[in-house]
Amino acid sequence: MRFIVALVLSAAALSVAACNTVEGMGKDVRSAGDAVAKTADGAKPK
């Protein structure tokens, strides 16, 4: 259990470090949201 918690915390720290700023993190989140929305639009029945 401790290993999983350490792994999750490490992944979170690396992802935050990659952003450098709150603005950068916001752009990353928006980009991910746009990708999900685009995929969902492509999966809609026609």
PDB file of all heavy atoms in Angstrom:
ATOM      1  N   MET A   1       0.832  -1.196   0.000  1.00  0.00           N
ATOM      2  CA  MET A   1       0.000   0.000   0.000  1.00  0.00           C
ATOM      3  C   MET A   1       0.872   1.254   0.000  1.00  0.00           C
ATOM      4  O   MET A   1       0.575   2.196  -0.709  1.00  0.00           O
ATOM      5  CB  MET A   1      -0.912  -0.059   1.225  1.00  0.00           C
ATOM      6  CG  MET A   1      -1.851   1.093   1.336  1.00  0.00           C
ATOM      7  SD  MET A   1      -3.057   1.019   0.007  1.00  0.00           S
ATOM      8  CE  MET A   1      -4.062   2.383   0.400  1.00  0.00           C
ATOM      9  N   ARG A   2       1.920   1.232   0.798  1.00  0.00           N
ATOM     10  CA  ARG A   2       2.814   2.399   0.844  1.00  0.00           C
ATOM     11  C   ARG A   2       3.490   2.626  -0.505  1.00  0.00           C
ATOM     12  O   ARG A   2       3.715   3.755  -0.901  1.00  0.00           O
ATOM     13  CB  ARG A   2       3.864   2.213   1.926  1.00  0.00           C
ATOM     14  CG  ARG A   2       3.302   2.362   3.312  1.00  0.00           C
ATOM     15  CD  ARG A   2       4.388   2.281   4.336  1.00  0.00           C
ATOM     16  NE  ARG A   2       3.840   2.391   5.676  1.00  0.00           N
ATOM     17  CZ  ARG A   2       4.550   2.387   6.756  1.00  0.00           C
ATOM     18  NH1 ARG A   2       5.859   2.253   6.676  1.00  0.00           N
ATOM     19  NH2 ARG A   2       3.984   2.499   7.936  1.00  0.00           N
ATOM     20  N   PHE A   3       3.798   1.530  -1.182  1.00  0.00           N
ATOM     21  CA  PHE A   3       4.432   1.644  -2.492  1.00  0.00           C
ATOM     22  C   PHE A   3       3.511   2.355  -3.481  1.00  0.00           C
ATOM     23  O   PHE A   3       3.953   3.220  -4.245  1.00  0.00           O
ATOM     24  CB  PHE A   3       4.810   0.256  -3.023  1.00  0.00           C
ATOM     25  CG  PHE A   3       5.401   0.287  -4.394  1.00  0.00           C
ATOM     26  CD1 PHE A   3       6.692   0.743  -4.597  1.00  0.00           C
ATOM     27  CD2 PHE A   3       4.658  -0.110  -5.491  1.00  0.00           C
ATOM     28  CE1 PHE A   3       7.241   0.782  -5.864  1.00  0.00           C
ATOM     29  CE2 PHE A   3       5.194  -0.071  -6.759  1.00  0.00           C
ATOM     30  CZ  PHE A   3       6.496   0.380  -6.951  1.00  0.00           C
ATOM     31  N   ILE A   4       2.240   2.010  -3.460  1.00  0.00           N
ATOM     32  CA  ILE A   4       1.267   2.627  -4.377  1.00  0.00           C
ATOM     33  C   ILE A   4       1.127   4.111  -4.070  1.00  0.00           C
ATOM     34  O   ILE A   4       1.112   4.940  -4.979  1.00  0.00           O
ATOM     35  CB  ILE A   4      -0.092   1.906  -4.290  1.00  0.00           C
ATOM     36  CG1 ILE A   4       0.057   0.473  -4.818  1.00  0.00           C
ATOM     37  CG2 ILE A   4      -1.164   2.665  -5.062  1.00  0.00           C
ATOM     38  CD1 ILE A   4      -1.155  -0.390  -4.610  1.00  0.00           C
ATOM     39  N   VAL A   5       1.058   4.456  -2.784  1.00  0.00           N
ATOM     40  CA  VAL A   5       0.941   5.861  -2.390  1.00  0.00           C
ATOM     41  C   VAL A   5       2.188   6.627  -2.831  1.00  0.00           C
ATOM     42  O   VAL A   5       2.087   7.732  -3.387  1.00  0.00           O
ATOM     43  CB  VAL A   5       0.720   5.988  -0.863  1.00  0.00           C
ATOM     44  CG1 VAL A   5       0.815   7.439  -0.422  1.00  0.00           C
ATOM     45  CG2 VAL A   5      -0.617   5.392  -0.472  1.00  0.00           C
ATOM     46  N   ALA A   6       3.361   6.036  -2.633  1.00  0.00           N
ATOM     47  CA  ALA A   6       4.600   6.691  -3.049  1.00  0.00           C
ATOM     48  C   ALA A   6       4.649   6.867  -4.559  1.00  0.00           C
ATOM     49  O   ALA A   6       5.090   7.907  -5.060  1.00  0.00           O
ATOM     50  CB  ALA A   6       5.795   5.871  -2.572  1.00  0.00           C
ATOM     51  N   LEU A   7       4.173   5.871  -5.285  1.00  0.00           N
ATOM     52  CA  LEU A   7       4.155   5.952  -6.742  1.00  0.00           C
ATOM     53  C   LEU A   7       3.222   7.057  -7.231  1.00  0.00           C
ATOM     54  O   LEU A   7       3.581   7.841  -8.118  1.00  0.00           O
ATOM     55  CB  LEU A   7       3.734   4.601  -7.326  1.00  0.00           C
ATOM     56  CG  LEU A   7       3.812   4.447  -8.829  1.00  0.00           C
ATOM     57  CD1 LEU A   7       5.256   4.572  -9.295  1.00  0.00           C
ATOM     58  CD2 LEU A   7       3.266   3.095  -9.238  1.00  0.00           C
ATOM     59  N   VAL A   8       2.045   7.145  -6.639  1.00  0.00           N
ATOM     60  CA  VAL A   8       1.084   8.185  -7.022  1.00  0.00           C
ATOM     61  C   VAL A   8       1.634   9.573  -6.687  1.00  0.00           C
ATOM     62  O   VAL A   8       1.530  10.499  -7.502  1.00  0.00           O
ATOM     63  CB  VAL A   8      -0.282   7.941  -6.334  1.00  0.00           C
ATOM     64  CG1 VAL A   8      -1.199   9.127  -6.495  1.00  0.00           C
ATOM     65  CG2 VAL A   8      -0.925   6.684  -6.887  1.00  0.00           C
ATOM     66  N   LEU A   9       2.227   9.723  -5.507  1.00  0.00           N
ATOM     67  CA  LEU A   9       2.791  11.021  -5.129  1.00  0.00           C
ATOM     68  C   LEU A   9       3.949  11.409  -6.041  1.00  0.00           C
ATOM     69  O   LEU A   9       4.082  12.576  -6.417  1.00  0.00           O
ATOM     70  CB  LEU A   9       3.247  10.994  -3.675  1.00  0.00           C
ATOM     71  CG  LEU A   9       2.130  10.955  -2.637  1.00  0.00           C
ATOM     72  CD1 LEU A   9       2.719  10.815  -1.240  1.00  0.00           C
ATOM     73  CD2 LEU A   9       1.245  12.175  -2.731  1.00  0.00           C
ATOM     74  N   SER A  10       4.758  10.449  -6.429  1.00  0.00           N
ATOM     75  CA  SER A  10       5.864  10.727  -7.353  1.00  0.00           C
ATOM     76  C   SER A  10       5.347  11.169  -8.712  1.00  0.00           C
ATOM     77  O   SER A  10       5.859  12.114  -9.307  1.00  0.00           O
ATOM     78  CB  SER A  10       6.744   9.492  -7.511  1.00  0.00           C
ATOM     79  OG  SER A  10       7.342   9.155  -6.295  1.00  0.00           O
ATOM     80  N   ALA A  11       4.325  10.488  -9.205  1.00  0.00           N
ATOM     81  CA  ALA A  11       3.743  10.859 -10.496  1.00  0.00           C
ATOM     82  C   ALA A  11       3.134  12.251 -10.440  1.00  0.00           C
ATOM     83  O   ALA A  11       3.278  13.049 -11.377  1.00  0.00           O
ATOM     84  CB  ALA A  11       2.699   9.833 -10.909  1.00  0.00           C
ATOM     85  N   ALA A  12       2.469  12.571  -9.337  1.00  0.00           N
ATOM     86  CA  ALA A  12       1.870  13.897  -9.182  1.00  0.00           C
ATOM     87  C   ALA A  12       2.950  14.971  -9.131  1.00  0.00           C
ATOM     88  O   ALA A  12       2.813  16.026  -9.754  1.00  0.00           O
ATOM     89  CB  ALA A  12       1.012  13.941  -7.927  1.00  0.00           C
ATOM     90  N   ALA A  13       4.025  14.707  -8.412  1.00  0.00           N
ATOM     91  CA  ALA A  13       5.116  15.677  -8.319  1.00  0.00           C
ATOM     92  C   ALA A  13       5.758  15.911  -9.678  1.00  0.00           C
ATOM     93  O   ALA A  13       6.078  17.049 -10.037  1.00  0.00           O
ATOM     94  CB  ALA A  13       6.149  15.193  -7.310  1.00  0.00           C
ATOM     95  N   LEU A  14       5.955  14.857 -10.436  1.00  0.00           N
ATOM     96  CA  LEU A  14       6.553  15.005 -11.764  1.00  0.00           C
ATOM     97  C   LEU A  14       5.638  15.782 -12.707  1.00  0.00           C
ATOM     98  O   LEU A  14       6.102  16.600 -13.503  1.00  0.00           O
ATOM     99  CB  LEU A  14       6.877  13.638 -12.350  1.00  0.00           C
ATOM    100  CG  LEU A  14       8.065  12.925 -11.729  1.00  0.00           C
ATOM    101  CD1 LEU A  14       8.165  11.505 -12.285  1.00  0.00           C
ATOM    102  CD2 LEU A  14       9.349  13.691 -11.974  1.00  0.00           C
ATOM    103  N   SER A  15       4.346  15.529 -12.627  1.00  0.00           N
ATOM    104  CA  SER A  15       3.432  16.237 -13.521  1.00  0.00           C
ATOM    105  C   SER A  15       3.346  17.714 -13.167  1.00  0.00           C
ATOM    106  O   SER A  15       3.260  18.562 -14.045  1.00  0.00           O
ATOM    107  CB  SER A  15       2.048  15.592 -13.507  1.00  0.00           C
ATOM    108  OG  SER A  15       1.444  15.750 -12.244  1.00  0.00           O
ATOM    109  N   VAL A  16       3.391  18.036 -11.882  1.00  0.00           N
ATOM    110  CA  VAL A  16       3.369  19.443 -11.468  1.00  0.00           C
ATOM    111  C   VAL A  16       4.677  20.116 -11.845  1.00  0.00           C
ATOM    112  O   VAL A  16       4.688  21.257 -12.303  1.00  0.00           O
ATOM    113  CB  VAL A  16       3.090  19.557  -9.952  1.00  0.00           C
ATOM    114  CG1 VAL A  16       3.292  20.976  -9.459  1.00  0.00           C
ATOM    115  CG2 VAL A  16       1.668  19.108  -9.653  1.00  0.00           C
ATOM    116  N   ALA A  17       5.784  19.423 -11.687  1.00  0.00           N
ATOM    117  CA  ALA A  17       7.084  20.003 -12.030  1.00  0.00           C
ATOM    118  C   ALA A  17       7.180  20.284 -13.525  1.00  0.00           C
ATOM    119  O   ALA A  17       7.866  21.214 -13.941  1.00  0.00           O
ATOM    120  CB  ALA A  17       8.197  19.066 -11.594  1.00  0.00           C
ATOM    121  N   ALA A  18       6.497  19.509 -14.331  1.00  0.00           N
ATOM    122  CA  ALA A  18       6.542  19.700 -15.779  1.00  0.00           C
ATOM    123  C   ALA A  18       5.810  20.964 -16.195  1.00  0.00           C
ATOM    124  O   ALA A  18       6.093  21.533 -17.243  1.00  0.00           O
ATOM    125  CB  ALA A  18       5.946  18.487 -16.480  1.00  0.00           C
ATOM    126  N   CYS A  19       4.894  21.425 -15.389  1.00  0.00           N
ATOM    127  CA  CYS A  19       4.089  22.592 -15.744  1.00  0.00           C
ATOM    128  C   CYS A  19       4.784  23.916 -15.428  1.00  0.00           C
ATOM    129  O   CYS A  19       4.587  24.899 -16.123  1.00  0.00           O
ATOM    130  CB  CYS A  19       2.752  22.557 -15.012  1.00  0.00           C
ATOM    131  SG  CYS A  19       1.706  21.197 -15.521  1.00  0.00           S
ATOM    132  N   ASN A  20       5.570  23.965 -14.354  1.00  0.00           N
ATOM    133  CA  ASN A  20       6.318  25.142 -13.899  1.00  0.00           C
ATOM    134  C   ASN A  20       5.438  26.240 -13.312  1.00  0.00           C
ATOM    135  O   ASN A  20       5.841  26.884 -12.368  1.00  0.00           O
ATOM    136  CB  ASN A  20       7.188  25.736 -15.001  1.00  0.00           C
ATOM    137  CG  ASN A  20       8.366  24.873 -15.325  1.00  0.00           C
ATOM    138  OD1 ASN A  20       8.821  24.107 -14.503  1.00  0.00           O
ATOM    139  ND2 ASN A  20       8.873  24.999 -16.528  1.00  0.00           N
ATOM    140  N   THR A  21       4.282  26.509 -13.856  1.00  0.00           N
ATOM    141  CA  THR A  21       3.440  27.594 -13.351  1.00  0.00           C
ATOM    142  C   THR A  21       1.992  27.143 -13.323  1.00  0.00           C
ATOM    143  O   THR A  21       1.613  26.150 -13.936  1.00  0.00           O
ATOM    144  CB  THR A  21       3.525  28.835 -14.269  1.00  0.00           C
ATOM    145  OG1 THR A  21       3.013  28.491 -15.549  1.00  0.00           O
ATOM    146  CG2 THR A  21       4.944  29.343 -14.399  1.00  0.00           C
ATOM    147  N   VAL A  22       1.186  27.893 -12.601  1.00  0.00           N
ATOM    148  CA  VAL A  22      -0.247  27.603 -12.567  1.00  0.00           C
ATOM    149  C   VAL A  22      -0.846  27.803 -13.950  1.00  0.00           C
ATOM    150  O   VAL A  22      -1.695  27.030 -14.386  1.00  0.00           O
ATOM    151  CB  VAL A  22      -0.955  28.503 -11.530  1.00  0.00           C
ATOM    152  CG1 VAL A  22      -2.454  28.321 -11.594  1.00  0.00           C
ATOM    153  CG2 VAL A  22      -0.435  28.211 -10.133  1.00  0.00           C
ATOM    154  N   GLU A  23      -0.381  28.807 -14.667  1.00  0.00           N
ATOM    155  CA  GLU A  23      -0.869  29.044 -16.027  1.00  0.00           C
ATOM    156  C   GLU A  23      -0.543  27.861 -16.929  1.00  0.00           C
ATOM    157  O   GLU A  23      -1.376  27.407 -17.711  1.00  0.00           O
ATOM    158  CB  GLU A  23      -0.248  30.312 -16.594  1.00  0.00           C
ATOM    159  CG  GLU A  23      -0.730  30.647 -17.995  1.00  0.00           C
ATOM    160  CD  GLU A  23      -0.059  31.881 -18.566  1.00  0.00           C
ATOM    161  OE1 GLU A  23       0.770  32.499 -17.864  1.00  0.00           O
ATOM    162  OE2 GLU A  23      -0.362  32.225 -19.717  1.00  0.00           O
ATOM    163  N   GLY A  24       0.665  27.355 -16.805  1.00  0.00           N
ATOM    164  CA  GLY A  24       1.066  26.198 -17.602  1.00  0.00           C
ATOM    165  C   GLY A  24       0.230  24.976 -17.269  1.00  0.00           C
ATOM    166  O   GLY A  24      -0.154  24.214 -18.156  1.00  0.00           O
ATOM    167  N   MET A  25      -0.074  24.798 -15.978  1.00  0.00           N
ATOM    168  CA  MET A  25      -0.910  23.670 -15.578  1.00  0.00           C
ATOM    169  C   MET A  25      -2.313  23.820 -16.149  1.00  0.00           C
ATOM    170  O   MET A  25      -2.908  22.857 -16.626  1.00  0.00           O
ATOM    171  CB  MET A  25      -0.981  23.564 -14.049  1.00  0.00           C
ATOM    172  CG  MET A  25      -1.620  22.288 -13.570  1.00  0.00           C
ATOM    173  SD  MET A  25      -1.418  22.042 -11.819  1.00  0.00           S
ATOM    174  CE  MET A  25      -2.867  22.867 -11.213  1.00  0.00           C
ATOM    175  N   GLY A  26      -2.834  25.041 -16.158  1.00  0.00           N
ATOM    176  CA  GLY A  26      -4.146  25.287 -16.737  1.00  0.00           C
ATOM    177  C   GLY A  26      -4.176  24.963 -18.221  1.00  0.00           C
ATOM    178  O   GLY A  26      -5.140  24.382 -18.726  1.00  0.00           O
ATOM    179  N   LYS A  27      -3.110  25.303 -18.916  1.00  0.00           N
ATOM    180  CA  LYS A  27      -3.033  24.987 -20.348  1.00  0.00           C
ATOM    181  C   LYS A  27      -2.986  23.485 -20.570  1.00  0.00           C
ATOM    182  O   LYS A  27      -3.609  22.976 -21.505  1.00  0.00           O
ATOM    183  CB  LYS A  27      -1.798  25.644 -20.966  1.00  0.00           C
ATOM    184  CG  LYS A  27      -1.915  27.148 -21.099  1.00  0.00           C
ATOM    185  CD  LYS A  27      -0.658  27.740 -21.696  1.00  0.00           C
ATOM    186  CE  LYS A  27      -0.757  29.248 -21.798  1.00  0.00           C
ATOM    187  NZ  LYS A  27       0.470  29.851 -22.330  1.00  0.00           N
ATOM    188  N   ASP A  28      -2.244  22.778 -19.707  1.00  0.00           N
ATOM    189  CA  ASP A  28      -2.168  21.322 -19.833  1.00  0.00           C
ATOM    190  C   ASP A  28      -3.526  20.680 -19.600  1.00  0.00           C
ATOM    191  O   ASP A  28      -3.934  19.780 -20.333  1.00  0.00           O
ATOM    192  CB  ASP A  28      -1.156  20.748 -18.837  1.00  0.00           C
ATOM    193  CG  ASP A  28       0.280  21.106 -19.186  1.00  0.00           C
ATOM    194  OD1 ASP A  28       0.521  21.536 -20.330  1.00  0.00           O
ATOM    195  OD2 ASP A  28       1.150  20.943 -18.311  1.00  0.00           O
ATOM    196  N   VAL A  29      -4.245  21.154 -18.584  1.00  0.00           N
ATOM    197  CA  VAL A  29      -5.568  20.599 -18.279  1.00  0.00           C
ATOM    198  C   VAL A  29      -6.535  20.899 -19.422  1.00  0.00           C
ATOM    199  O   VAL A  29      -7.315  20.034 -19.822  1.00  0.00           O
ATOM    200  CB  VAL A  29      -6.098  21.155 -16.937  1.00  0.00           C
ATOM    201  CG1 VAL A  29      -7.542  20.780 -16.713  1.00  0.00           C
ATOM    202  CG2 VAL A  29      -5.232  20.654 -15.785  1.00  0.00           C
ATOM    203  N   ARG A  30      -6.466  22.101 -19.953  1.00  0.00           N
ATOM    204  CA  ARG A  30      -7.349  22.456 -21.061  1.00  0.00           C
ATOM    205  C   ARG A  30      -7.058  21.598 -22.287  1.00  0.00           C
ATOM    206  O   ARG A  30      -7.971  21.141 -22.982  1.00  0.00           O
ATOM    207  CB  ARG A  30      -7.191  23.928 -21.407  1.00  0.00           C
ATOM    208  CG  ARG A  30      -8.106  24.341 -22.530  1.00  0.00           C
ATOM    209  CD  ARG A  30      -8.064  25.802 -22.789  1.00  0.00           C
ATOM    210  NE  ARG A  30      -8.992  26.106 -23.864  1.00  0.00           N
ATOM    211  CZ  ARG A  30      -9.220  27.310 -24.308  1.00  0.00           C
ATOM    212  NH1 ARG A  30      -8.613  28.327 -23.767  1.00  0.00           N
ATOM    213  NH2 ARG A  30     -10.061  27.508 -25.285  1.00  0.00           N
ATOM    214  N   SER A  31      -5.789  21.382 -22.551  1.00  0.00           N
ATOM    215  CA  SER A  31      -5.399  20.557 -23.691  1.00  0.00           C
ATOM    216  C   SER A  31      -5.928  19.134 -23.542  1.00  0.00           C
ATOM    217  O   SER A  31      -6.441  18.551 -24.503  1.00  0.00           O
ATOM    218  CB  SER A  31      -3.879  20.547 -23.813  1.00  0.00           C
ATOM    219  OG  SER A  31      -3.466  19.687 -24.833  1.00  0.00           O
ATOM    220  N   ALA A  32      -5.819  18.601 -22.342  1.00  0.00           N
ATOM    221  CA  ALA A  32      -6.338  17.253 -22.097  1.00  0.00           C
ATOM    222  C   ALA A  32      -7.850  17.227 -22.254  1.00  0.00           C
ATOM    223  O   ALA A  32      -8.410  16.291 -22.841  1.00  0.00           O
ATOM    224  CB  ALA A  32      -5.952  16.787 -20.701  1.00  0.00           C
ATOM    225  N   GLY A  33      -8.531  18.251 -21.768  1.00  0.00           N
ATOM    226  CA  GLY A  33      -9.989  18.332 -21.907  1.00  0.00           C
ATOM    227  C   GLY A  33     -10.417  18.438 -23.359  1.00  0.00           C
ATOM    228  O   GLY A  33     -11.392  17.816 -23.778  1.00  0.00           O
ATOM    229  N   ASP A  34      -9.669  19.218 -24.122  1.00  0.00           N
ATOM    230  CA  ASP A  34      -9.978  19.345 -25.553  1.00  0.00           C
ATOM    231  C   ASP A  34      -9.824  18.004 -26.271  1.00  0.00           C
ATOM    232  O   ASP A  34     -10.634  17.656 -27.134  1.00  0.00           O
ATOM    233  CB  ASP A  34      -9.079  20.391 -26.204  1.00  0.00           C
ATOM    234  CG  ASP A  34      -9.426  21.813 -25.791  1.00  0.00           C
ATOM    235  OD1 ASP A  34     -10.526  22.026 -25.234  1.00  0.00           O
ATOM    236  OD2 ASP A  34      -8.581  22.711 -26.017  1.00  0.00           O
ATOM    237  N   ALA A  35      -8.790  17.261 -25.892  1.00  0.00           N
ATOM    238  CA  ALA A  35      -8.564  15.957 -26.524  1.00  0.00           C
ATOM    239  C   ALA A  35      -9.695  14.992 -26.187  1.00  0.00           C
ATOM    240  O   ALA A  35     -10.171  14.251 -27.060  1.00  0.00           O
ATOM    241  CB  ALA A  35      -7.223  15.383 -26.072  1.00  0.00           C
ATOM    242  N   VAL A  36     -10.147  15.009 -24.938  1.00  0.00           N
ATOM    243  CA  VAL A  36     -11.257  14.133 -24.537  1.00  0.00           C
ATOM    244  C   VAL A  36     -12.534  14.520 -25.274  1.00  0.00           C
ATOM    245  O   VAL A  36     -13.266  13.664 -25.763  1.00  0.00           O
ATOM    246  CB  VAL A  36     -11.467  14.186 -23.002  1.00  0.00           C
ATOM    247  CG1 VAL A  36     -12.747  13.480 -22.602  1.00  0.00           C
ATOM    248  CG2 VAL A  36     -10.268  13.576 -22.286  1.00  0.00           C
ATOM    249  N   ALA A  37     -12.803  15.823 -25.366  1.00  0.00           N
ATOM    250  CA  ALA A  37     -14.003  16.287 -26.052  1.00  0.00           C
ATOM    251  C   ALA A  37     -13.970  15.912 -27.538  1.00  0.00           C
ATOM    252  O   ALA A  37     -14.984  15.491 -28.092  1.00  0.00           O
ATOM    253  CB  ALA A  37     -14.140  17.798 -25.901  1.00  0.00           C
ATOM    254  N   LYS A  38     -12.805  16.039 -28.156  1.00  0.00           N
ATOM    255  CA  LYS A  38     -12.671  15.697 -29.568  1.00  0.00           C
ATOM    256  C   LYS A  38     -12.913  14.203 -29.787  1.00  0.00           C
ATOM    257  O   LYS A  38     -13.588  13.794 -30.735  1.00  0.00           O
ATOM    258  CB  LYS A  38     -11.271  16.083 -30.054  1.00  0.00           C
ATOM    259  CG  LYS A  38     -11.086  16.040 -31.526  1.00  0.00           C
ATOM    260  CD  LYS A  38      -9.705  16.581 -31.894  1.00  0.00           C
ATOM    261  CE  LYS A  38      -9.574  16.764 -33.373  1.00  0.00           C
ATOM    262  NZ  LYS A  38      -8.251  17.279 -33.745  1.00  0.00           N
ATOM    263  N   THR A  39     -12.387  13.385 -28.892  1.00  0.00           N
ATOM    264  CA  THR A  39     -12.595  11.931 -28.981  1.00  0.00           C
ATOM    265  C   THR A  39     -14.054  11.596 -28.787  1.00  0.00           C
ATOM    266  O   THR A  39     -14.607  10.747 -29.503  1.00  0.00           O
ATOM    267  CB  THR A  39     -11.734  11.202 -27.937  1.00  0.00           C
ATOM    268  OG1 THR A  39     -10.360  11.552 -28.161  1.00  0.00           O
ATOM    269  CG2 THR A  39     -11.901   9.709 -28.022  1.00  0.00           C
ATOM    270  N   ALA A  40     -14.703  12.249 -27.823  1.00  0.00           N
ATOM    271  CA  ALA A  40     -16.115  11.988 -27.572  1.00  0.00           C
ATOM    272  C   ALA A  40     -16.974  12.394 -28.764  1.00  0.00           C
ATOM    273  O   ALA A  40     -17.919  11.686 -29.127  1.00  0.00           O
ATOM    274  CB  ALA A  40     -16.566  12.736 -26.320  1.00  0.00           C
ATOM    275  N   ASP A  41     -16.636  13.519 -29.394  1.00  0.00           N
ATOM    276  CA  ASP A  41     -17.389  13.952 -30.579  1.00  0.00           C
ATOM    277  C   ASP A  41     -17.228  12.943 -31.705  1.00  0.00           C
ATOM    278  O   ASP A  41     -18.173  12.674 -32.458  1.00  0.00           O
ATOM    279  CB  ASP A  41     -16.914  15.322 -31.052  1.00  0.00           C
ATOM    280  CG  ASP A  41     -17.372  16.437 -30.123  1.00  0.00           C
ATOM    281  OD1 ASP A  41     -18.330  16.231 -29.355  1.00  0.00           O
ATOM    282  OD2 ASP A  41     -16.768  17.535 -30.184  1.00  0.00           O
ATOM    283  N   GLY A  42     -16.055  12.355 -31.833  1.00  0.00           N
ATOM    284  CA  GLY A  42     -15.816  11.377 -32.879  1.00  0.00           C
ATOM    285  C   GLY A  42     -16.526  10.051 -32.623  1.00  0.00           C
ATOM    286  O   GLY A  42     -16.792   9.283 -33.547  1.00  0.00           O
ATOM    287  N   ALA A  43     -16.871   9.773 -31.376  1.00  0.00           N
ATOM    288  CA  ALA A  43     -17.505   8.513 -31.015  1.00  0.00           C
ATOM    289  C   ALA A  43     -19.035   8.584 -31.071  1.00  0.00           C
ATOM    290  O   ALA A  43     -19.707   7.560 -30.939  1.00  0.00           O
ATOM    291  CB  ALA A  43     -17.083   8.079 -29.623  1.00  0.00           C
ATOM    292  N   LYS A  44     -19.577   9.776 -31.270  1.00  0.00           N
ATOM    293  CA  LYS A  44     -21.033   9.933 -31.316  1.00  0.00           C
ATOM    294  C   LYS A  44     -21.600   9.250 -32.562  1.00  0.00           C
ATOM    295  O   LYS A  44     -21.023   9.332 -33.645  1.00  0.00           O
ATOM    296  CB  LYS A  44     -21.426  11.403 -31.353  1.00  0.00           C
ATOM    297  CG  LYS A  44     -21.223  12.117 -30.057  1.00  0.00           C
ATOM    298  CD  LYS A  44     -21.666  13.569 -30.187  1.00  0.00           C
ATOM    299  CE  LYS A  44     -21.410  14.336 -28.907  1.00  0.00           C
ATOM    300  NZ  LYS A  44     -21.741  15.755 -29.066  1.00  0.00           N
ATOM    301  N   PRO A  45     -22.744   8.579 -32.388  1.00  0.00           N
ATOM    302  CA  PRO A  45     -23.371   7.977 -33.581  1.00  0.00           C
ATOM    303  C   PRO A  45     -23.866   9.069 -34.520  1.00  0.00           C
ATOM    304  O   PRO A  45     -24.317  10.125 -34.090  1.00  0.00           O
ATOM    305  CB  PRO A  45     -24.519   7.160 -33.021  1.00  0.00           C
ATOM    306  CG  PRO A  45     -24.730   7.642 -31.628  1.00  0.00           C
ATOM    307  CD  PRO A  45     -23.487   8.317 -31.180  1.00  0.00           C
ATOM    308  N   LYS A  46     -23.802   8.772 -35.788  1.00  0.00           N
ATOM    309  CA  LYS A  46     -24.194   9.790 -36.786  1.00  0.00           C
ATOM    310  C   LYS A  46     -25.601   9.574 -37.257  1.00  0.00           C
ATOM    311  O   LYS A  46     -26.239   8.655 -37.220  1.00  0.00           O
ATOM    312  CB  LYS A  46     -23.243   9.752 -37.965  1.00  0.00           C
ATOM    313  CG  LYS A  46     -21.876  10.160 -37.536  1.00  0.00           C
ATOM    314  CD  LYS A  46     -20.911  10.151 -38.704  1.00  0.00           C
ATOM    315  CE  LYS A  46     -19.550  10.579 -38.180  1.00  0.00           C
ATOM    316  NZ  LYS A  46     -18.554  10.620 -39.149  1.00  0.00           N
TER     317      LYS A  46
END
